[in-house]
Amino acid sequence: MATTKAKAAILNKLRAASSGAVDAAPVSAAPAVPTLVDPLEHFVSLLKANHAQVIQCETARLQTVVTDVLREQGATRVIAAERVLAEFPELTQVAEPLPPGTMEDWKEQLFNEVEVGITSAHCALAATGTLVLRPGADEPRSLSLVPPCHILLLREQTLYNDLTHAMVDQRWAEQMPTNMLLVSGPSKTADIQQTLAYGAHGPRTLVVIILPQ
Amino acid sequence: MSLEVKLYPSKPEKVYLYGTCLVNSFSPETGLDAIALLEAEGLEVLYPEGQTCCGQPAYNAGYADEALKVAQSQMALFPGDWPIVILSGSCGGMMRKHYRELAPEDDQVAAFARRIFEFSEFLVHCLQVQLVDRGEPESVTLHTSCSGRRELGIHDTGVALLSQLSRVDLVEHAYATECCGFGGTFSVKQADISSAMVADKGQHLNDTGCRRYVSTDWGCMLNINGHLEYAQRDLRGLHLASYLRERTKLEGAE
Amino acid sequence: MHSTPTAFKAQAKAALADPVIRQNFRGAMDFLRGKRQGVFPEQAEFKALQACAETIKQQALDDLPQLLELLEQNCTRNGIQVHWAESAQEANEIIDGLIDQHDGTQVVKGKSMATEEIELNDYLGARGKDCIETDMGEYIVQLAGEHPSHIIMPAIHKNAEEIGQLFHEKVAGVDYTTDVDTLINIGRTQLRERFMAADIGITGVNFAVAETGTLCLVENEGNGRMVSTVPSVHIAVSGIEKVIASLQDTPPLLSLLTRSATGQIITTYFNMISGPRGYGEAERDGPKEVHLVLIDNGRTQAYADEQFRKTLSCIRCGACMNHCPVYTRIGGHAYGTVYPGPIGQIISPHLLGLEQTNDLPTASSLCGACEEVCPVNIPIPNLLQRLRRQSNLGREASTGIRGAGSARSGLEALVWKSWRWACCRPWAYGVVTRVVALARPLLGLVKTPWNKGRATPRPAPKTLNQLLKHRATGSNRTGGAHGNH
Ligand code: SF4
């Protein structure tokens, strides 16, 4: 196949040119991201600055809080990831699971009918105001992407100082899932005359609900 | 940016002066003014005969061999171990930084490069001059050449010297860090772009309302003054050495 | 509308004369410079991060062949199929073949400079396949039948009025408006249909992590996610230099990229893709196939030269163009190359050969603003100077750069030889400068390109060398020549 030939040609050219002796200049360690005095506060303020709505609430009040958000959004078709419904069964009162099957079966509904997607955050990064999503069988990738409003549930104790901390502590490199995602606000663009507009292609509204322990 | 940490010697007895080709031909007073200022600090100023050009024009144009030959002829003029004070940031960048790229293996070239000091940095860091302002109150703006700013880091020393002048109000112009558009052969090979750049620079300098601007580079100044003359503006530039001498009313030997 | 690097001077001249272009770029560059400044409050922190990133990329390049093989291994293990292409043509054939293999009819694309580089849209278009750009800027540019003028902000050359007019003309049922929210919403609505219907999605790659076989995409809009999530096939297209060794290399690079590019401490999305749907667990969405196309297209040529290899460290942040006084004035299209600005000036000669790109190395005052902000410390002015050398080479010199020596002018070479001759002989130099000084009244009559907007400088009647003639080197302090002044 042509691509095998290309591979050999490319690698040969590179090998002929690379000094061979890999005199590894030690990678100067990345300057540590300063440890934040109040990571939660920092996290929340950055998210808000990035136009996300942030709500801190007791787990017992979750359903009420979500209901309020949905009312504000005027949403009628709300889908929650199964992972979320399993952890917070009370949300079945306000959200339904995805229809059975794969995306091919419910793609049109997701694009045309679903107004809100509720997913979980795997962890979060204070230094950049970022949520880490780890989609999987019980939380499809598109649920945090296609509906115009995205509600994210975060456990406060999963807040890390920064990306390197999270990555090292959780040993991501050993087993990366098919998809992992950092989200730091609602979708946006400044492609027209540097004017910021939200909801370019992804969710226009991002609501982050922070739950204690 | 590969700005090395520059080590400054304490005040020497003697210094060499490198005039540069532009000062030689277009503004010899700059050279005389610089000598007067250095002598007033008690230094003996050596001006070796045979100075032509540092080689930068050819180097920038992509004629490195030619540049190297000329560089070698110039280095030979400075056998003593004295600092070499140079009246241009861009020639200083050439001699301090690019000579070594032309002859990377040569320790003597490296040693020569370490002896190169741009005029304003020499006054500030080696002589720690104290200037007494004897001029009338005036506003002035400073244009630092790009090589001076980015290769030698001398914007601060220009500011430091002008700030010592008690009756001079140093005004920063808009886009002060942006290039004037000279760039050696660039000004001829890409004359349209170059002249658009200098038109903007002239505008921004003029907008300060100052009557004069100061620079340490005659390359920039030929360009900017050429534009200002063309555009029939009153504003003109002069070299920092001449400006300092004028403000301090130093009597020279002439 | 197609500009070319061979017509650089004419294109630059036209752009300089266009007040709208001048205003749009000046405004945009001021904005981006300001944003970057705001997120690098401390130079020391920038320097530390830059040193780290420079080493990461340098090492990745030192180990490039090994890392590419490791990347292929780990991608394959993850279910990502890897393809290699030596040229743009080969890359296009591979992608076209993949589309055919899946009977693809609807192709959507996320922002990718690599696919601009290989001119994928034209290639597919010629084969009757539409490839819809989905990044808002790219979408606008495609609607206008143009090419991106900036590597990060493709439609930066247009203002809201121009875009409002464009949408009004090209999108059915749209009234003229300059309201940016409305305009973006129009784009959103149009493109959502496309995402839903697409069967093939094409993106670029910001970092390809060898250690884990992960493709990283950096974006704000979510179109990259759409393109790599909704269609059943995702094709990622990447230059071979995008590979980095380990996942832990990503945080510093990501931080530098977003801060340098748009002044954001992080973008809205950082998407790490390590495999197609269900590779590991029974996922219900995501592409069923993921392909990675690795492109050489001139990169191995740059790699072969120790100095030019540095160009491959580039993380495509665009900071060099944002800070370039030339780019700021002529905009991106004038360059006539896919990658405009300083980075384009140093890589285009490798992609296209020096014959076509001879003007680019000369289009710089070597002011160094680009190098100052480059997050991976690429010595751009030095490389431009090196390219000037390469394009001036005489026949005798051999070099690995395609088209070396193609700008050699016998006259220019002679000028510099004569200049050298005189500069090495002070007596001759003295004669020349004295003659020029004597001829000063006549100099104003000679018109050269310099005189575009500039008066000819007048030499002084006497040179400094003349005035200081008798100032002996060291023995005579006052020197007789002062009296001449
Ligand atoms: S050369 Fe440097 S500044 Fe320019 S795009 Fe590449 S990384 Fe950014």
Side-chain angles (χ1 to χ4, degrees):
Chain A
M1 230 182 111
T3 167
T4 333
K5 204 181 111 254
K7 174 183 171 184
I10 293 171
L11 290 178
N12 284 341
K13 279 190 233 170
L14 295 178
R15 286 207 190 91
S18 70
S19 45
V22 180
D23 48 348
V27 170
S28 32
V33 178
T35 306
L36 298 157
V37 186
D38 187 345
L40 184 63
E41 193 215 295
H42 193 83
F43 172 73
V44 170
S45 71
L46 283 177
L47 266 175
K48 284 185 175 164
N50 272 335
H51 229 74
Q53 205 176 315
V54 185
I55 304 167
Q56 287 170 264
C57 87
E58 295 298 322
T59 315
R61 292 195 55 245
L62 178 61
Q63 190 191 331
T64 326
V65 167
V66 172
T67 311
D68 289 348
V69 172
L70 296 177
R71 192 179 316 119
E72 234 172 81
Q73 296 292 321
T76 50
R77 186 83 202 270
V78 182
I79 296 214
E82 276 135 47
R83 188 187 293 171
V84 170
L85 293 176
E87 198 181 345
F88 307 100
E90 68 271 29
L91 290 184
T92 41
Q93 305 290 326
V94 293
E96 52 182 314
L98 269 171
T102 59
M103 179 162 68
E104 288 68 26
D105 303 308
W106 35 259
K107 181 160 72 174
E108 305 220 344
Q109 287 180 52
L110 190 65
F111 269 92
N112 297 331
E113 293 164 24
V114 180
E115 292 151 313
V116 179
I118 307 181
T119 76
S120 65
H122 175 69
C123 62
L125 317 171
T128 46
T130 301
L131 295 129
V132 180
L133 276 66
R134 203 179 189 289
D138 53 359
E139 191 176 285
R141 307 177 190 195
S142 51
L143 194 55
S144 60
L145 172 65
V146 178
C149 172
H150 178 203
I151 299 178
L152 254 169
L153 308 183
L154 171 73
R155 293 282 190 186
E156 190 186 320
Q157 77 270 23
T158 62
L159 184 64
Y160 284 89
N161 193 73
D162 57 85
L163 179 55
T164 304
H165 271 106
M167 190 177 266
V168 171
D169 186 66
Q170 300 188 350
R171 305 193 192 180
W172 291 3
E174 285 172 19
Q175 183 61 60
M176 282 294 275
T178 53
N179 188 215
M180 205 151 180
L181 187 74
L182 311 189
V183 175
S184 306
S187 153
K188 66 182 175 192
T189 184
D191 271 356
I192 299 181
Q193 216 179 317
Q194 301 91 55
T195 310
L196 209 47
Y198 292 92
H201 296 293
R204 214 172 261 144
T205 309
L206 176 69
V207 182
V208 179
I209 301 179
I210 304 174
L211 303 161
Q213 268 337 70
Chain B
M1 282 275 71
S2 45
L3 269 187
E4 285 179 26
V5 178
K6 180 82 186 164
L7 295 176
Y8 293 102
S10 49
K11 183 172 169 178
E13 258 174 64
K14 303 181 188 184
V15 288
Y16 283 119
L17 184 75
Y18 193 78
T20 77
C21 62
L22 295 181
V23 164
N24 181 51
S25 282
F26 292 95
S27 180
E29 325 74 67
T30 300
L32 302 179
D33 294 334
I35 290 173
L37 285 159
L38 292 168
E39 286 181 344
E41 292 298 312
L43 295 180
E44 182 176 339
V45 181
L46 313 175
Y47 186 82
E49 275 191 81
Q51 299 189 24
T52 57
C53 171
C54 68
Q56 192 194 35
Y59 178 78
N60 275 0
Y63 286 85
D65 296 344
E66 277 71 15
L68 178 60
K69 290 268 160 36
V70 172
Q72 283 161 341
S73 79
Q74 297 302 292
M75 284 188 282
L77 304 174
F78 301 89
D81 195 27
W82 306 110
I84 302 158
V85 175
I86 184 161
L87 296 177
S88 150
S90 64
C91 309
M94 177 69 191
M95 292 177 124
R96 191 189 289 172
K97 190 176 166 211
H98 302 302
Y99 274 19
R100 279 195 281 181
E101 289 162 10
L102 287 170
E105 311 285 297
D106 195 329
D107 290 346
Q108 284 187 327
V109 172
F112 176 85
R114 279 194 292 276
R115 286 160 56 209
I116 295 287
F117 299 90
E118 186 274 338
F119 176 71
S120 69
E121 72 173 335
F122 187 78
L123 254 48
V124 171
H125 292 305
C126 301
L127 302 185
Q128 281 109 22
V129 290
Q130 301 294 325
L131 301 167
V132 181
D133 191 2
R134 298 194 175 84
E136 294 301 308
E138 183 185 25
S139 294
V140 78
T141 184
L142 171 69
H143 169 71
T144 302
S145 69
C146 296
S147 24
R149 183 186 293 274
R150 301 198 176 94
E151 292 182 341
L152 304 180
I154 57 157
H155 180 67
D156 295 347
T157 50
V159 171
L161 290 169
L162 291 170
S163 308
Q164 283 191 28
L165 302 172
S166 53
R167 309 174 76 183
V168 169
D169 182 18
L170 180 59
V171 186
E172 189 169 64
H173 58 282
Y175 300 100
T177 60
E178 218 171 68
C179 177
C180 74
F182 176 54
T185 49
F186 170 73
S187 61
V188 181
K189 288 195 175 179
Q190 300 287 352
D192 290 309
I193 304 172
S194 168
S195 75
M197 286 163 70
V198 74
D200 287 349
K201 180 58 80 178
Q203 181 74 48
H204 298 140
L205 290 168
N206 202 59
D207 287 346
T208 58
C210 298
R211 211 166 43 82
R212 302 192 291 178
Y213 74 92
V214 172
S215 176
T216 48
D217 249 288
W218 265 105
C220 308
M221 281 197 288
L222 288 186
N223 183 42
I224 301 171
N225 284 350
H227 167 75
L228 293 169
E229 187 182 330
Y230 176 90
Q232 302 185 330
R233 299 217 198 255
D234 296 332
L235 176 71
R236 284 294 179 275
L238 78 169
H239 195 280
L240 181 70
S242 299
Y243 191 68
L244 294 183
R245 184 173 182 197
E246 178 196 307
R247 297 296 309 186
T248 53
K249 300 223 180 340
L250 260 187
E251 295 303 320
E254 71 263 50
Chain C
M1 196 61 232
H2 251 300
S3 53
T4 69
T6 44
F8 173 79
K9 284 188 181 169
Q11 286 154 196
K13 193 172 178 177
L16 288 168
D18 184 335
V20 180
I21 293 207
R22 294 290 294 273
Q23 181 49 44
N24 290 354
F25 277 95
R26 177 88 260 180
M29 297 306 106
D30 287 353
F31 173 81
L32 289 168
R33 289 182 199 180
K35 291 274 286 178
R36 178 188 173 278
Q37 189 81 40
V39 291
F40 286 119
E42 291 185 32
Q43 183 68 0
E45 193 251 1
F46 172 67
K47 285 276 155 201
L49 205 50
Q50 181 198 45
C52 161
E54 185 186 3
T55 331
I56 288 173
K57 289 297 281 186
Q58 193 57 48
Q59 274 207 339
L61 289 174
D62 286 346
D63 302 346
L64 189 55
Q66 296 92 302
L67 285 182
L68 284 168
E69 281 191 299
L70 185 63
L71 175 72
E72 183 182 40
Q73 247 172 45
N74 287 328
C75 281
T76 311
R77 188 200 61 207
N78 292 345
I80 298 174
Q81 302 173 47
V82 181
H83 311 262
W84 304 69
E86 275 192 273
S87 62
Q89 172 73 18
E90 273 182 30
N92 285 328
E93 282 167 11
I94 292 168
I95 298 164
D96 186 42
L98 287 169
I99 299 172
D100 283 343
Q101 205 180 308
H102 294 87
D103 296 321
T105 52
Q106 305 264 351
V107 184
V108 285
K109 196 158 133 236
K111 206 182 117 32
S112 139
M113 288 312 295
T115 59
E116 291 287 342
E117 175 187 325
I118 61 173
E119 299 183 351
L120 177 67
N121 289 359
D122 294 344
Y123 186 92
L124 294 180
R127 278 149 193 80
K129 300 184 178 86
D130 268 353
C131 185
I132 304 295
E133 295 289 351
T134 63
D135 169 85
M136 285 295 176
E138 290 265 4
Y139 172 69
I140 292 164
V141 165
Q142 191 178 38
L143 263 190
E146 297 173 1
H147 288 279
S149 58
H150 188 280
I151 63 171
I152 298 288
M153 308 210 118
I156 207 159
H157 56 289
K158 290 197 180 306
N159 57 35
E161 285 83 40
E162 293 169 290
I163 294 166
Q165 189 59 35
L166 176 74
F167 276 25
H168 174 57
E169 285 165 18
K170 296 282 171 80
V171 187
V174 167
D175 292 331
Y176 173 79
T177 174
T178 56
D179 181 63
V180 171
D181 283 321
T182 312
L183 290 169
I184 291 297
N185 203 30
I186 294 165
R188 175 183 172 104
T189 314
Q190 294 285 321
L191 290 166
R192 272 175 90 83
E193 297 288 315
R194 299 294 191 154
F195 292 129
M196 200 166 65
D199 32 36
I200 309 275
I202 300 176
T203 68
V205 174
N206 289 99
F207 315 114
V209 184
E211 170 191 38
T212 54
T214 301
L215 310 177
C216 304
L217 294 177
V218 180
E219 60 153 341
N220 279 314
E221 295 186 0
N223 66 309
R225 289 183 65 198
M226 286 280 189
V227 167
S228 60
T229 303
V230 181
S232 58
V233 180
H234 169 209
I235 306 172
V237 185
S238 171
I240 51 174
E241 81 284 13
K242 293 286 165 103
V243 64
I244 53 174
S246 70
L247 199 62
Q248 265 197 68
D249 293 339
T250 55
L253 292 177
L254 174 65
S255 173
L256 276 171
L257 173 59
T258 64
R259 292 205 269 172
S260 304
T262 50
Q264 293 173 272
I265 56 170
I266 193 166
T267 43
T268 301
Y269 302 118
F270 181 60
N271 194 356
M272 293 172 272
I273 299 167
S274 311
R277 176 194 310 192
Y279 225 81
E281 48 184 317
E283 281 177 276
R284 301 166 70 190
D285 69 353
K288 292 175 183 159
E289 284 182 23
V290 179
H291 297 266
L292 171 65
V293 182
L294 292 169
I295 305 181
D296 175 351
N297 200 30
R299 288 166 175 80
T300 48
Q301 175 186 296
Y303 188 83
D305 182 292
E306 209 186 317
Q307 245 186 319
F308 288 128
R309 186 178 294 184
K310 286 206 156 63
T311 60
L312 301 175
S313 301
C314 173
I315 56 173
R316 302 281 189 268
C317 70
C320 55
M321 51 195 77
N322 299 343
H323 290 77
C324 175
V326 175
Y327 178 91
T328 300
R329 285 173 182 78
I330 65 174
H333 288 151
Y335 293 83
T337 48
V338 168
Y339 302 96
I343 178 61
Q345 288 168 272
I346 56 173
I347 61 175
S348 304
H350 298 286
L351 303 176
L352 305 169
L354 262 170
E355 295 97 338
Q356 284 190 61
T357 52
N358 268 325
D359 274 339
L360 300 184
T362 69
S364 167
S365 62
L366 305 180
C367 76
C370 48
E371 180 180 16
E372 191 173 45
V373 295
C374 176
V376 288
N377 210 12
I378 299 177
I380 302 174
N382 269 355
L383 295 174
L384 286 168
Q385 193 275 338
R386 210 11 239 303
L387 284 167
R388 291 178 183 183
R389 256 156 100 175
Q390 295 292 324
S391 57
N392 288 338
L393 282 177
R395 293 202 193 297
E396 68 283 2
S398 79
T399 163
I401 309 299
R402 196 150 48 98
S406 59
R408 185 174 179 83
S409 133
L411 179 64
E412 195 188 347
L414 183 70
V415 166
W416 289 114
K417 269 213 171 66
S418 318
W419 170 87
R420 182 197 79 197
W421 187 86
C423 285
C424 292
R425 286 165 188 76
W427 64 267
Y429 188 84
V431 170
V432 174
T433 48
R434 285 196 299 271
V435 167
V436 171
L438 287 174
R440 53 202 296 267
L442 302 174
L443 290 178
L445 304 175
V446 186
K447 291 291 175 228
T448 68
W450 167 275
N451 295 101
K452 285 185 177 160
R454 276 175 292 229
T456 308
R458 274 170 301 278
K462 282 205 163 147
T463 66
L464 184 64
N465 286 347
Q466 276 176 289
L467 297 176
L468 298 179
K469 180 107 183 88
H470 305 294
R471 193 182 184 92
T473 57
S475 54
N476 182 354
R477 276 194 60 170
T478 44
H482 277 190
N484 290 345
H485 189 44

